[in-house]
Amino acid sequence: MTGKPENALAAYVAVTAAYWAFMLTDGALRMLVLLHFHDLGFSPITLAWLFLLYEVAGMVTNLSAGWIAARFGLTTTLYAGLAIQIVALVALSRLNPGWAVAVSVPFVMIVQGMSGVAKDLAKMSSKSAVKILAPSAGGGLFRWVAVLTGSKNAVKGIGFFLGAGLLATIGFKAAVLAMAVVLTVILFAVVLFMPTGLPKGSKSAKFTQVWSKDRNINRLSLARMFLFGARDTWFVVGIPIYFTALISDGSEDGNRAAFFLVGGFMALWIIAYGAVQASAPRLLGQAAHESRVAVRLAIRWVGILTAIIAVLAALSLTPATWIAGVLVAGLLAFGFVFAINSSLHSYLILAFSQAERVTMDVGFYYMSNAAGRLIGTLASGISYQIGGLPLCLATAAAMAGASWISAKRLGGDGALNV
């Protein structure tokens, strides 16, 4: 499909609204699970295990979702993602605090795996829709994908704060049930009001086609894997647990205050990250809408990212009281640079993709994204357990360096499909 639907803007708005609703619950659920089980005394490695199947499911889902969307249509995978998230939230409400660790951990892992499937169905559908709907002239693709991605992350950041706030006020079970109800209402609304015009799928689409033969897409996917591995190595377990231990005195009131402050910081980081992503086309200028320039910028910005996290790793070795403030400032700077880099990646994958196989190229690319998150999640728990925050940050720096090496192999003169 090469033409744009007549109601492209209305379809874009509907897709974005559905994606916002999903990411709000996704962010809230992550903080609910992390803080709730930390409060129950789970170790950093065990906390990392809770999110492990979420990331594994993302890898598998992104590969198959691209083919499913190509075969059955984008709206099918979008609706399925929202529906599975509702089921996951309801299932999580059945968690019994009295269960043994050997029962509760596998149960939460399975439910988180369902949520991982749901997230990547929704993400792949939304990002692929932008390729179909965005106007071709005037750098429309970069602007539209930046707005979708940036606003999504801002909404997810609000979800982080929402999850921490709900846990501190109404408790775990009531929080997940309330989110399930709200998401159900939104799913029905989106199904009723979704305009026509998105691809309906083709029976000729074959599963073997999900593997990309484009060298630029493969190299970009590798750079993306290490980029998100670098972020999640400190983001998933290390920093939240470090700050929680730093703030809380171990009492119930102390834990509640820590939940709000840690959740607030994580929310601020994600919201600011999303705002920068949405503004990336304006911050980088018109020249960045051309693939060769975008590739050079991606290499430059991930080099800056590597330097920032390496400096933070070195500074974290200092047992000084002021280090917490430096970490907050440094991680916000990391977030700014990371957002620019992520936005460039999101543009380049769509620029390198062909319209007729965009769902499969995007699915392959986000499989690499999920692989990076999986590696980062494991590294976060293991490195923090073994060497505390310094090793956690040093591991993140190594992954950022690997992303820089991968990005340097990109060829900016590849054919664009915009």
Side-chain angles (χ1 to χ4, degrees), residues 20-33:
W20 282 356
F22 181 91
M23 295 312 298
L24 183 69
T25 62
D26 187 66
L29 184 59
R30 178 168 286 266
M31 289 307 293
L32 277 168
V33 170

Side-chain angles (χ1 to χ4, degrees), residues 171-197:
F172 185 80
K173 181 174 181 178
V176 293
L177 284 176
M179 290 193 297
V181 171
V182 171
L183 201 57
T184 300
V185 172
I186 291 171
L187 172 59
F188 279 109
V190 171
V191 171
L192 287 174
F193 296 107
M194 175 70 76
T196 59

Side-chain angles (χ1 to χ4, degrees), residues 125-151:
S125 305
S126 303
K127 295 292 181 68
S128 298
V130 175
K131 174 74 173 184
I132 304 299
L133 300 172
S136 301
L141 179 61
F142 196 4
R143 289 199 306 272
W144 281 39
V145 73
V147 169
L148 176 70
T149 306
S151 62

Side-chain angles (χ1 to χ4, degrees), residues 86-399:
I86 293 167
V87 174
L89 289 167
V90 173
L92 201 55
S93 72
R94 308 302 300 170
L95 179 70
N96 189 333
W99 290 350
V101 172
V103 177
S104 59
V105 170
F107 176 80
V108 176
M109 285 180 66
I110 291 170
V111 175
Q112 285 289 94
M114 292 173 60
S115 185
V117 170
K119 182 201 72 174
D120 286 295
L121 284 172
K123 176 191 284 186
M124 185 281 306
S125 305
S126 303
K127 295 292 181 68
S128 298
V130 175
K131 174 74 173 184
I132 304 299
L133 300 172
S136 301
L141 179 61
F142 196 4
R143 289 199 306 272
W144 281 39
V145 73
V147 169
L148 176 70
T149 306
S151 62
K152 174 268 292 188
N153 283 307
V155 169
K156 185 173 182 177
I158 296 171
F160 271 71
F161 185 73
L162 176 66
L166 289 174
L167 181 62
T169 52
I170 66 174
F172 185 80
K173 181 174 181 178
V176 293
L177 284 176
M179 290 193 297
V181 171
V182 171
L183 201 57
T184 300
V185 172
I186 291 171
L187 172 59
F188 279 109
V190 171
V191 171
L192 287 174
F193 296 107
M194 175 70 76
T196 59
L198 288 177
K200 299 298 182 183
S202 170
K203 292 183 178 181
S204 64
K206 298 179 180 179
F207 185 77
T208 53
Q209 293 175 318
V210 301
W211 302 102
S212 176
K213 296 180 176 64
D214 187 294
R215 284 184 298 178
N216 273 334
I217 289 175
N218 292 334
R219 290 168 179 173
L220 181 65
S221 298
L222 186 63
R224 183 77 172 190
M225 181 184 77
F226 286 120
L227 181 71
F228 272 76
R231 195 278 304 269
D232 279 14
T233 295
W234 64 263
F235 189 83
V236 173
V237 174
I239 282 294
I241 299 307
Y242 172 81
F243 280 146
T244 298
L246 194 67
I247 295 167
S248 177
D249 59 3
S251 67
E252 185 175 341
D253 288 341
N255 286 339
R256 186 178 295 111
F259 291 164
F260 272 112
L261 290 173
V262 174
F265 171 73
M266 304 299 281
L268 173 64
W269 194 95
I270 290 287
I271 292 168
Y273 161 54
V276 174
Q277 272 191 312
S279 303
R282 178 175 54 82
L283 293 172
L284 295 174
Q286 187 64 32
H289 295 239
E290 200 276 321
S291 72
R292 286 179 290 273
V293 176
V295 166
R296 289 197 297 270
L297 288 171
I299 296 169
R300 181 185 306 164
W301 283 95
V302 77
I304 297 171
L305 190 80
T306 304
I308 291 173
I309 197 68
V311 169
L312 289 178
L315 289 175
S316 67
L317 293 168
T318 304
T321 55
W322 49 262
I323 193 64
V326 172
L327 284 172
V328 169
L331 292 174
L332 289 175
F334 179 100
F336 179 87
V337 178
F338 181 84
I340 295 291
N341 220 141
S342 179
S343 188
L344 286 164
H345 282 193
S346 295
Y347 162 66
L348 285 170
I349 184 57
L350 295 181
F352 289 145
S353 299
Q354 299 175 6
E356 59 270 19
R357 55 166 289 122
V358 61
T359 59
M360 288 183 278
D361 284 342
V362 170
F364 180 81
Y365 167 79
Y366 279 112
M367 177 204 69
S368 301
N369 191 106
R373 293 173 61 92
L374 170 63
I375 294 168
T377 298
L378 279 172
S380 188
I382 293 172
S383 62
Y384 191 84
Q385 181 93 12
I386 294 173
L389 191 62
L391 181 59
C392 195
L393 294 176
T395 305
M399 289 198 187

